[in-house]
Amino acid sequence: MKKKEMSSNGDAPAPDSSTRISLQACLEECSEAVDLFLNNHFTESLEKLRPRVKESMYHALMYATVLEMQAMMTFEHDDIVQAGNTMKSAQEVCQRFRRKSLSLSSKSAGDVLTEEQLHAEACYAECLLHRAALTFLQDENMVNFIKGGIKVRNSYLIYKDLHTFIQSHASHRGPNHLHLEGGVSFGIGAFNLALSLFPPRILRLLEFAGFSGDKEYGLSKLHDGATSMNLRSMLCVLLLLCHYTFLSFILGTGEGDVDDAERLLKPFLVRYPRGAIFLFFAGRAEEIKGNIDEAVALFEDGCRAQQAWKQFHHMCYWELMWCFTYKRIWKMAYFYADLLSQESRWSKAMYVYMKAAYLSMLPPEEARPFGDNEVDLFRQVPAFKQKIAGKSPPTEKFAIRKARRYKACSPVRLPVPVLEMMYMWNGFTMIRKRPELTKGMMETLVEAERALRDNPAVEGTMLENQGQTQAAEECFNSVYSSEKKIKFDHYLVPNALLELSLLHVDLGRRELAVKLLQKAKNNYKEYSMESRTQFRIHAALSKLQADTNETEESTEL
C-alpha cells in the first residue's frame, strides 16, 4: 500500500483522491440522508452515510450527529461513549481537510484557502461543539468538564474567525457557499443565543468571562440558516423550536414566541407530515397556547408515526404527563410517569417522584394503580439519584429534598407536590389563557387549604393567572415576610420575589420590579433549583433592559 506523504506546506496528509467524491456530491448525499432522518427512516439515514465516514467530512459529521441525537435521547452510557468516539473520529476526518499553516485572519487567506478548506473549518468547529456537549453528559470528572468548556471556547473562536472571513471576502464564493453560510449561521446563532441566556456568574464558572451573546442577533442568524436550503437547516430549525417552545419557558419567563415556532414548523409539516420530530413540536406549540386536547392528539400521533426510536416516544410521554396534569386527570398522568420510569433513563428519580406525587393527589380511599403506594415510592426516590459532570441534576436534587419528608416512620405529607413541580417547570404559563383549567387548579388548592399556609407562592401564581393581582401580591409578600419561619423550602422566597416582580412589570411598576429582581438575584444562595431561578431572573432583567451585571446590594423594601 502506498504511504500517504505530507504536503509541501506541512499540512496533514489529504484523503486519498482515489476514494474521494466531490464536495458537492458529498453535500447532496448528506442532504438525502437528512431527508430520510426527518421522514423517520433513521436506520436508512445512517446506512446512507456510513460508507463514506472515513473519507468525507460531511458524511462523518452527519453520521456522528445522528448518533449523538440518539445518545442524548437514550441517555445510555454506552451510546454516549460511542457517539463521543464517533464525533472524535469525524473531527479527525475534518482535520485532514483543514489548512493549518494559514490563519483565517490573514490578509492573503482569500487567495490560498480553497472552498473545501473553508467547509472543513466549519465542520471542525461543529465537531468541537458536539464533542463538548457529549463531554458534559459523559464525564463525571470535573477536569473533563473543564475540557468540555475548552472545546466550546475553541469552537466559538473558529466560528467567529470564519464569520469575519466570509464577510470580508464577499467575492470568494464557491458553488456550495450556501451550505458554508448555513454552517456558520448555525454556529454563530447558537453561541449568541446560548450566551445571552446565561447569567454572568454562570458564564464565569464556564470560563466564558468576557464573552457575551446578542439574543436577537443569534435568533436572526439561526433564522437565516433555517430558511435557506442548506444542510444545517434542520439543526437551525430544531434549535429555534427548542428555544421558542422550551428554553424560553424553562430558563425564561414563559414568553416564548409560539407564532414564530408555528411559522417555522409549517413548511416542514407540509414536507414531512408524519415526521415524529415535527409532530412533537407541533404538539408543544398547541400546549403553549393552552389547547391541551389538540396537544394530546399530536403527541399520540407522534408516538404512532414511528417505532424505530422509542426515545421519541419518551419525549411525548413527558409532555402527555403534563397535559393530563393540567387537566387534573391524575391517574393518566401517573400512567405516563410510570411508563417513563420503566423505559427511560433520563431521570428515574424524577419519574418515581412524579408517580408518588400523582398518587398523593388522589383521595385516601381511592384505589392506587398497580398496588403502588405513594409513601413507598417517595422513599425510593433517593436510590435513583444519578450524576452528570460530577453533579446531580437540580431537578433530581429538588425531588430528593421534597421526598425526604417521607423518610420518617410518621411522614410529613406534601400537600400539593404535583403543583410545586409544575411551577418549577413553568407549567402555569400553559394554562393562564384557559380560565377553566386555572379554576380547576384553584379548586385543588382550596381542597388543600390548610397545606397552602406552607406554600402560598403556588396560590399567588394561580391568583395572578385569574387576574386577582391584589390577592396574588398579598400571597407573594406573605412568603417574603415569612422568610425566617421557613425550615425546608428556602427556594420559595427568591421565587416569590421573582413572581412579585413580574406582577409589578404587568402593573407598570418597572423600577420596583428591578429592585425585587436584584434582591432575588443577589441576596439568596444555595437553594433548590437555584440555577433555574437565576436564569429566569436574568431573562426578566434582560427584558427590562436592566444592567444584569449590577452587583450593588438590593435596596431594602
Side-chain angles (χ1 to χ4, degrees), residues 428-441:
F428 288 100
T429 58
M430 302 292 181
I431 62 172
R432 61 186 169 191
K433 296 179 182 177
R434 295 292 300 274
E436 72 279 14
L437 296 180
T438 299
K439 182 181 178 183
M441 287 296 176

Side-chain angles (χ1 to χ4, degrees), residues 70-81:
Q70 184 180 27
M72 287 185 167
M73 286 185 292
T74 64
F75 217 61
E76 292 280 356
H77 177 74
D78 290 347
D79 289 347
I80 294 171
V81 171

Side-chain angles (χ1 to χ4, degrees), residues 130-174:
H130 288 304
R131 286 189 66 199
L134 288 164
T135 297
F136 294 146
L137 281 181
Q138 174 187 339
D139 293 321
E140 298 184 6
N141 185 308
M142 190 52 66
V143 172
N144 288 324
F145 190 73
I146 293 171
K147 286 180 180 178
I150 293 170
K151 290 186 182 76
V152 171
R153 285 175 60 85
N154 291 342
S155 176
Y156 179 88
L157 292 172
I158 293 172
Y159 275 125
K160 190 177 178 181
D161 285 347
L162 192 55
H163 180 254
T164 301
F165 174 80
I166 64 175
Q167 292 295 314
S168 61
H169 292 76
S171 60
H172 193 81
R173 296 283 190 269

Side-chain angles (χ1 to χ4, degrees), residues 408-446:
C409 295
S410 300
V412 181
R413 185 176 179 272
L414 290 168
V416 281
V418 170
L419 272 60
E420 265 190 300
M421 192 62 78
M422 180 175 160
Y423 171 77
M424 285 300 179
W425 289 92
N426 224 353
F428 288 100
T429 58
M430 302 292 181
I431 62 172
R432 61 186 169 191
K433 296 179 182 177
R434 295 292 300 274
E436 72 279 14
L437 296 180
T438 299
K439 182 181 178 183
M441 287 296 176
M442 277 301 296
E443 290 174 359
T444 296
L445 289 173
V446 169

